[in-house]
């Protein structure tokens, strides 16, 4: 939830309050930009999982852009 289309790209923005968060992209999408260091993996179902770790005490604003996989 929270995704929106911006032209041909998928956009997701949120302020994260948890120290560790995993964001799953919809099937068929791959990240092209992530505003924070992250670990990107693929689930068994073929979805891209983006794991973000925020070591700071204050919340972190994260923005992700994705494009359809080729």
């Amino acid at each position: 939830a929270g995704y929106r289309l911006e032209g041909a790209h998928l956009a997701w923005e949120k302020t994260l309050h948890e120290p560790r968060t995993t964001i799953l992209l919809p099937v068929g999408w791959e990240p092209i930009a992530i505003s924070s260091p992250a670990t990107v993996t693929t689930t068994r179902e073929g979805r891209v999982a983006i794991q973000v770790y925020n070591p700071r005490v204050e919340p972190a604003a994260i923005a992700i852009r994705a494009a359809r996989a080729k």
Side-chain angles (χ1 to χ4, degrees):
Y3 299 107
R4 67 181 180 284
L5 284 176
E6 291 183 352
H9 294 134
L10 191 67
W12 184 87
E13 295 176 357
K14 187 171 182 183
T15 299
L16 304 177
H17 299 275
E18 301 82 14
R20 298 177 194 273
T21 303
T22 300
I23 299 106
L24 287 173
L25 294 181
V27 174
W29 292 86
E30 59 187 25
I32 56 173
I34 304 171
S35 66
S36 178
T39 301
V40 180
T41 58
T42 304
T43 67
R44 289 185 207 142
E45 297 80 25
R47 293 177 70 178
V48 173
I50 301 168
Q51 300 168 341
V52 179
Y53 173 67
N54 177 17
R56 301 181 312 251
V57 175
E58 58 274 345
I62 303 295
I64 298 171
R65 301 288 179 264
R68 289 216 181 260
K70 296 180 181 189

